[in-house]
Amino acid sequence: MSTTKPPGAARPGRTAVRTPGGLSLRLDVRSGLVVLLLLAALCAMSVILIGRGDFPMAPGDVIATLLGNGTAAQEFIVQDLRLPRILVGLLVGAALGIGGAVFQSISRNPLGSPDVIGFGQGATVGALTAIVVFQGGSAAVAGGAVVGGLLTGAGIYLLAWKRGVHGYRLVLIGIGVAAMLTAVNHYLITKASLVDATRAVLWMTGSLDGRDWAQVWPLLAVCAVLIPLALGYGRPLRMLEMGDDAAYALGVRVERTRLVLMGAAVLLVSVATAAAGPITFVALSAPQLARRLTRSPGPNLGPAAAMGALLLLVADWAATSAFGDRQLPAGVVTGVLGGCYLLWLLVTERKAGRI
């Protein structure tokens, strides 16, 4: 007896829903549960982080203050000092998770991460140029990071273009561009004054320290537009993972879809880098961890965004509490943990015969 399912059959773990208007939707139950659990963990971690500091607050007091029932001192500490930092962490982590998931799906390679194939380094070049060459303020540094990331994305896209952009070529060119841009960053630091070099190195570590509402609002505006845009392209992106020919056969406008998604992902990563500095390896690890939790093929954009936000908040908690009185930038923790994850990923891919 044949056990082959017809093409329209729902896969295990998925539920087909039909609306009265005839619209058919497929819901992945496991992915939905994973997202709900990640969101619950995000809420818990956010409350814990808001309550930590020189003026500790119990979780109940934090929740009461967020609901507008705190004292004047608690309102100031939560609303003006700690909540913006948490929101920046959530938005930066979600943006990096989405960006990493998009590039890994487009390249069909788990190493196709923005901080591996040069986009993070391009944003860093723009920021260091603003610091070292123009002695710009925080707004100029943020603008330089966004411009640098966008120019790098356009350059890699054009260099990788040859009757279309293919994943293997995108990753190889991106790694080469990343190496060159890293050299440019080192050159800029060696030519900077002591004050500018110190400021540049501090920015390059990636941190949530000192973040306020001035970083929240631009980041929130960009994420509010680009994250729904990327989620809306989830189905065509899933088809792109099957290859260009299969996507064409299924009616996907391949190059248009790829260009829109790459543009959205590059801008998300650039704005995230502008807000918090280069937070490494979140974009690399979040999509893979989300995929392992959901056990679902495809880009898993929603779970990747939630996982990226959770990874960054956990890294910030570890950086501020695991080393006693000495607090580290969150980017240092993500770099250490992400480096270990990258080594594990390379060993796994080699054993599987994919590299």
Side-chain angles (χ1 to χ4, degrees), residues 8 15 35 52 108 119 130 136 141 172 204 206 227 262 280 284 293-294 345:
T15 302
V35 171
R52 294 188 71 255
R108 290 188 285 169
F119 301 110
V141 173
L172 286 180
M204 287 175 64
I227 289 180
M262 285 186 64
T280 56
L284 173 71
L293 287 177
T294 61
L345 182 62

Side-chain angles (χ1 to χ4, degrees), residues 256-303:
R256 176 183 174 181
T257 300
R258 185 181 287 123
L259 183 60
V260 170
L261 285 168
M262 285 186 64
V266 169
L267 187 54
L268 281 171
V269 172
S270 300
V271 173
T273 304
I279 304 290
T280 56
F281 290 115
V282 171
L284 173 71
S285 56
Q288 294 299 314
L289 293 175
R291 182 171 296 197
R292 281 165 172 77
L293 287 177
T294 61
R295 297 180 186 175
S296 175
N300 290 287
L301 295 180

Side-chain angles (χ1 to χ4, degrees), residues 124-303:
T124 303
V125 168
L128 294 190
T129 300
I131 293 173
V132 175
V133 178
F134 300 105
Q135 288 78 44
S138 58
V141 173
V146 173
V147 172
L150 292 176
L151 290 177
T152 302
I156 292 176
Y157 184 86
L158 292 176
L159 290 172
W161 174 270
K162 186 180 180 182
R163 281 181 273 181
V165 176
H166 299 284
Y168 186 71
R169 188 162 59 243
L170 178 69
V171 172
L172 286 180
I173 290 176
I175 291 174
V177 170
M180 291 188 292
L181 293 175
T182 300
V184 173
N185 289 329
H186 292 162
Y187 172 78
L188 289 171
I189 291 177
T190 60
K191 292 300 180 181
S193 64
L194 180 59
V195 174
D196 289 338
T198 303
R199 183 184 171 199
V201 171
L202 182 62
W203 185 87
M204 287 175 64
T205 58
S207 176
L208 299 179
D209 289 341
R211 298 307 182 261
D212 57 24
W213 293 105
Q215 284 84 33
V216 172
W217 296 121
L219 185 59
L220 179 61
V222 173
C223 289
V225 174
L226 295 182
I227 289 180
L229 174 65
L231 293 175
Y233 274 83
R235 184 172 179 273
L237 181 59
R238 185 179 297 110
M239 294 178 182
L240 281 179
E241 289 188 342
M242 297 186 293
D244 288 2
D245 292 338
Y248 273 123
L250 292 170
V252 177
R253 297 181 178 180
V254 172
E255 286 307 321
R256 176 183 174 181
T257 300
R258 185 181 287 123
L259 183 60
V260 170
L261 285 168
M262 285 186 64
V266 169
L267 187 54
L268 281 171
V269 172
S270 300
V271 173
T273 304
I279 304 290
T280 56
F281 290 115
V282 171
L284 173 71
S285 56
Q288 294 299 314
L289 293 175
R291 182 171 296 197
R292 281 165 172 77
L293 287 177
T294 61
R295 297 180 186 175
S296 175
N300 290 287
L301 295 180

